[in-house]
Amino acid sequence: MRFTVSAPHDTPKLLVLAVDDEPPGLAQLKHCLEANAHVGRVLPAVDASEALRLLGSDDEYIRARKQRGLPPVDAVFADINMPGLSGMEMSRVFASLNPAPVLVFVTGHSEEAVEAFDLGAVDYVLKPARQERIDKAVSRVVEKIEAASGRRRPSDSDRGRDDEVIPVELAGTTKLIPRSSVRWVEAQGDYARLFTTEGSHLVRIPLAQLEERWAKAGFVRIHRSFLVSLPLITELRMGQGGYQVVIGNEEKVLPVSRRHTRALKDKLVGSSRLG
């Protein structure tokens, strides 16, 4: 049985660029994308050079999009390891466009997931491409475009569908950690340690970058070294040396710096968590 995603009648169809140097992989990716109700047209390219030529061509759809102030395509689904210009190098070119298309990587290699996250990719799909997995990636593309255009604002009820994944390296393999599983984050130099219910993971992302990216998802800075999921704060109390917060059922206690106390109290009051 094929799983497809129904597109709302008022949602514009997506123009998608699919890039893969392996013909079977490109054919499968194109097939999965065309089977998704959100996708209107797929432009296939066998390498980065052809992809760049397509975006600079006089194609009527691309020309019309540029005249309307839109990126040349809505999204790019690209392999990473390709001859000549790699998918990662090509995506740096796409990411520098203003406005830029949404990036998704579809690859048989997981070791570059961290760099893909740094480029702002919304998803990282491992081959072989499956219809259900491509549908999920397309949904993330749609949500990113709608959020950027102001047509949709994420709510608590659908936050799970808009959940960002964070690639972490574990013993030579890459594991994708959903943001919703992160309870708090601790700065460790230019890195950050994510604490989940299952343990902790070190990622090559500064805490300040996560603070900016996750603010709309309910994460708040309570200290120069700590970022916390606001809904998981069960108590704000005075301890030795200043205020502290208690996180969830595990009763983890974290310090609150003086400079962040006022803002944290305001956020707690605003979310009806503090009397």
Side-chain angles (χ1 to χ4, degrees):
M1 179 180 295
R2 175 162 300 196
F3 175 82
T4 59
V5 178
S6 299
H9 295 300
D10 60 348
T11 301
K13 297 285 188 175
L14 300 177
L15 178 60
V16 179
L17 176 63
V19 191
D20 195 328
D21 66 303
E22 298 178 350
L26 181 59
Q28 176 66 13
L29 176 58
K30 185 173 183 289
H31 174 77
C32 291
L33 287 168
E34 289 177 337
N36 186 284
H38 287 289
V39 177
R41 186 184 179 199
V42 179
L43 302 177
V46 297
D47 57 26
S49 297
E50 184 178 1
L52 293 173
R53 283 197 301 270
L54 277 172
L55 295 196
S57 70
D58 198 37
D59 180 278
E60 60 177 316
Y61 293 97
I62 294 178
R63 185 174 66 250
R65 290 177 60 86
K66 291 178 179 178
Q67 291 172 349
R68 292 160 53 201
L70 298 173
V73 294
D74 291 297
V76 178
F77 282 66
D79 192 8
I80 290 181
N81 292 330
M82 296 186 293
L85 195 66
S86 73
M88 198 68 71
E89 292 167 334
M90 175 189 70
S91 296
R92 288 194 186 95
V93 176
F94 295 150
S96 68
L97 298 177
N98 186 20
V102 181
L103 298 176
V104 175
F105 288 103
V106 184
T107 177
H109 305 273
S110 63
E111 61 270 12
E112 295 183 272
V114 173
E115 188 174 356
F117 177 78
D118 290 342
L119 279 174
V122 298
D123 210 343
Y124 193 95
V125 181
L126 292 178
K127 292 182 179 180
R130 306 290 186 187
Q131 186 66 55
E132 295 84 354
R133 190 64 184 85
I134 294 297
D135 286 340
K136 185 175 181 180
V138 171
S139 294
R140 285 178 171 158
V141 168
V142 172
E143 290 165 0
K144 177 75 176 285
I145 292 172
E146 290 183 343
S149 66
R151 294 200 306 270
R152 174 183 178 276
R153 299 184 66 182
S155 63
D156 291 339
S157 62
D158 62 11
R159 183 169 292 156
R161 292 189 293 111
D162 194 34
D163 199 8
E164 185 177 308
V165 293
I166 307 95
V168 299
E169 298 294 332
L170 293 172
T173 62
T174 300
K175 182 177 180 181
L176 300 180
I177 304 297
R179 181 185 59 205
S180 58
S181 70
V182 178
R183 306 178 73 76
W184 74 89
V185 186
E186 181 177 0
Q188 295 190 356
D190 292 333
Y191 290 71
R193 183 167 292 279
L194 312 178
F195 288 85
T196 71
T197 54
E198 299 177 351
S200 67
H201 310 279
L202 192 65
V203 294
R204 192 182 58 197
I205 307 168
L207 191 67
Q209 182 178 336
L210 287 179
E211 178 186 9
E212 180 180 353
R213 293 180 70 144
W214 292 2
K216 292 182 179 180
F219 281 79
V220 296
R221 192 74 169 261
I222 64 168
H223 189 276
R224 63 184 176 85
S225 298
F226 293 103
L227 186 68
V228 174
S229 176
L230 185 67
L232 297 181
I233 295 178
T234 57
E235 185 179 345
L236 174 65
R237 67 191 185 194
M238 179 62 73
Q240 292 183 347
Y243 278 99
Q244 301 171 332
V245 293
V246 180
I247 308 297
N249 296 328
E250 68 268 32
E251 296 187 355
K252 173 66 178 180
V253 178
L254 297 175
V256 180
S257 67
R258 184 175 301 177
R259 62 173 295 200
H260 291 98
T261 299
R262 182 70 267 167
L264 176 61
K265 286 183 177 180
D266 291 343
K267 286 183 172 65
L268 289 171
V269 170
S271 60
S272 301
R273 300 295 301 278
L274 185 66

